[in-house]
Amino acid sequence: MHKGRARAYTNIALIKYWGKKDETLILPMNNSLSLTLNAFYTETEVIFDETYTQDSFYLDGELQDAKATSKVSQFLDIVRQLSEEKSYAQVTSKNFVPTAAGLASSASGLAALAAACNEALDLQLSDRALSRLARRGSGSACRSIFGGFVEWEQGTDDASSYAQPLNSDDWTDDLAMLFILVNDQQKDISSRDGMKRTVETSSFYPGWLEEVPKDLAIAKKAISEKDFTTLGTVTEANCLKMHGTTLAAVPPFTYWSPDSLKAMQAVRSLRSAGIECYFTMDAGPNVKLLIEKKNLAQAQAYLETLFDSAQLVSAFAGPGIEILK
Ligand code: 2P0
């Protein structure tokens, strides 16, 4: 019996990962840059035991169905290939996210699973090797191995595609993210399906790929100079470009809901009132504000006039993976 436990925090991309050049290895079409957060995380325990007759996956106390288990099982197969281990495993995960936030994250989930496997089987993977392993489970998970600002280098093969931290620890202490949780009844298009459809069909996708290296260079320079205005401006612009690609996909789609637009407008109003903040969005309707900590309370007070206070959740920069005993 081999057992390991780990915690990983979710991350939000400022320069987005959007599209794969290799779906099996999960090699992305472009570099991305994220901020790891402290407020949302996953704790995972994995037990490999020769008495098990299949892999099983419990999430928040419930045994998961075949579909959810097969994603975990495929990842465990990769781990079994790179280790001597042949046994099936039991994976028990708990997501720490605000109730009903719809923020269950594959980034923290797969990063925690990779780290728990590393621990259980004493694989002694370096952080870089662990980032590569987590990437095989879910692209964005490779960034959750590290804390603070993190860049995922797209690479050209399995060995060269991994994340690494940017040295910006002292600045991340000044920053915050405020989530505006938008509830909508629409059926989700997963990020995996959404990015695939966009790569294959969107006439706007080549424009996206042309823009990302420029946005990334601007973001990295802004981080090195602690230039919040430039970082926020490029974060918001990059998000809008990513979401623009979905409108030209065939069939077209959007992750935005009416409340997403209301939240974006609220951000613009805050800026007009002199409270600097910028938005980003991922494969869903929730809006996330990048803001300096010193302005957080004022922004929150204004947003509470427009949204229910339960819809507003703040987070700060978080650490990399943690091994739990
Ligand atoms: C990101 N997203 O950079 C982008 C922005 C969503 C929008 O990474 O297929 O769950 O498992 O590699 O990592 C979400 O994609 O997708 C994501 P897979 P993943 O955060």
Side-chain angles (χ1 to χ4, degrees):
M1 196 270 270
H2 301 289
K3 176 169 148 178
R5 287 183 71 209
R7 176 190 296 144
Y9 296 81
T10 195
N11 71 76
I12 298 296
L14 308 184
I15 305 298
K16 305 295 186 188
Y17 152 46
W18 194 241
K20 297 179 182 68
K21 59 190 173 202
D22 185 319
E23 288 178 12
T24 308
L25 290 173
I26 310 198
L27 302 179
M29 289 285 227
N30 60 269
N31 287 23
S32 53
L33 189 157
S34 58
L35 181 63
T36 302
L37 298 178
N38 68 347
F40 315 116
Y41 55 94
T42 304
E43 288 182 358
T44 293
E45 176 183 85
V46 62
I47 299 173
F48 291 89
D49 191 309
E50 56 196 27
T51 65
Y52 295 155
T53 53
Q54 58 183 0
D55 292 324
S56 58
F57 175 37
Y58 292 84
L59 179 60
D60 296 330
E62 283 186 26
L63 183 62
Q64 299 297 294
D65 64 14
K67 189 167 174 240
T69 307
S70 86
K71 188 171 176 185
V72 167
S73 210
Q74 278 170 24
F75 183 78
L76 293 169
D77 285 342
I78 294 167
V79 172
R80 282 184 284 252
Q81 266 166 33
L82 73 86
S83 68
E84 308 276 283
E85 187 63 44
K86 299 285 168 276
S87 305
Y88 289 112
Q90 176 182 294
V91 174
T92 308
S93 283
K94 189 162 167 34
N95 277 328
F96 291 81
V97 294
T99 324
L103 288 170
S105 160
S106 63
S108 58
L110 271 296
L113 179 58
C117 289
N118 188 31
E119 189 65 11
L121 301 177
D122 196 24
L123 300 176
Q124 304 198 5
L125 298 178
S126 64
D127 282 351
R128 180 171 294 180
L130 196 53
S131 175
R132 286 172 46 209
L133 176 61
R135 188 201 80 232
R136 300 291 305 275
S138 197
S140 53
C142 77
R143 299 187 307 234
S144 276
I145 301 303
F146 304 100
F149 286 118
V150 178
E151 181 179 4
W152 176 11
E153 172 65 46
Q154 58 172 307
T156 52
D157 57 11
D158 176 50
S160 56
S161 185
Y162 51 78
Q164 46 195 348
L166 302 182
N167 291 321
S168 52
D169 285 357
D170 49 344
W171 194 38
T172 56
D173 286 348
D174 298 342
L175 303 177
M177 265 205 178
L178 181 57
F179 286 65
I180 305 176
L181 304 173
V182 171
N183 217 346
D184 84 336
Q185 309 304 321
Q186 284 174 25
K187 194 169 176 298
D188 291 337
I189 299 172
S190 73
S191 49
R192 192 163 286 194
D193 293 346
M195 68 174 84
K196 183 171 157 64
R197 189 191 299 176
T198 306
V199 170
E200 289 172 356
T201 67
S202 175
S203 59
F204 292 174
Y205 192 74
W208 160 256
L209 287 183
E210 232 174 86
E211 290 292 298
V212 176
K214 299 177 210 165
D215 288 351
L216 186 69
I218 293 167
K220 286 172 75 172
K221 183 160 180 280
I223 289 169
S224 72
E225 294 172 356
K226 303 185 181 167
D227 175 351
F228 183 72
T229 301
T230 302
L231 182 63
T233 303
V234 76
T235 293
E236 193 171 295
N238 185 264
C239 153
L240 290 170
K241 289 174 208 174
M242 180 203 116
H243 286 270
T245 65
T246 70
L247 300 178
V250 184
F253 65 104
T254 182
Y255 290 110
W256 298 359
S257 73
D259 270 356
S260 309
L261 292 165
K262 180 178 156 190
M264 289 182 215
Q265 190 49 46
V267 170
R268 295 185 187 108
S269 300
L270 279 164
R271 282 208 294 268
S272 304
I275 302 165
E276 206 181 357
C277 57
Y278 301 88
F279 63 78
T280 189
M281 288 180 64
D282 295 294
N286 296 322
V287 175
K288 297 123 192 182
L289 270 66
L290 181 65
I291 189 162
E292 288 167 292
K293 256 186 205 172
K294 63 181 184 194
N295 292 327
L296 181 60
Q298 258 187 306
Q300 185 136 5
Y302 171 69
L303 293 170
E304 277 174 5
T305 67
L306 301 172
F307 298 92
D308 198 288
S309 58
Q311 290 176 268
L312 305 172
V313 180
S314 53
F316 303 108
I321 42 147
E322 296 170 342
I323 301 307
L324 306 171
K325 290 298 165 198

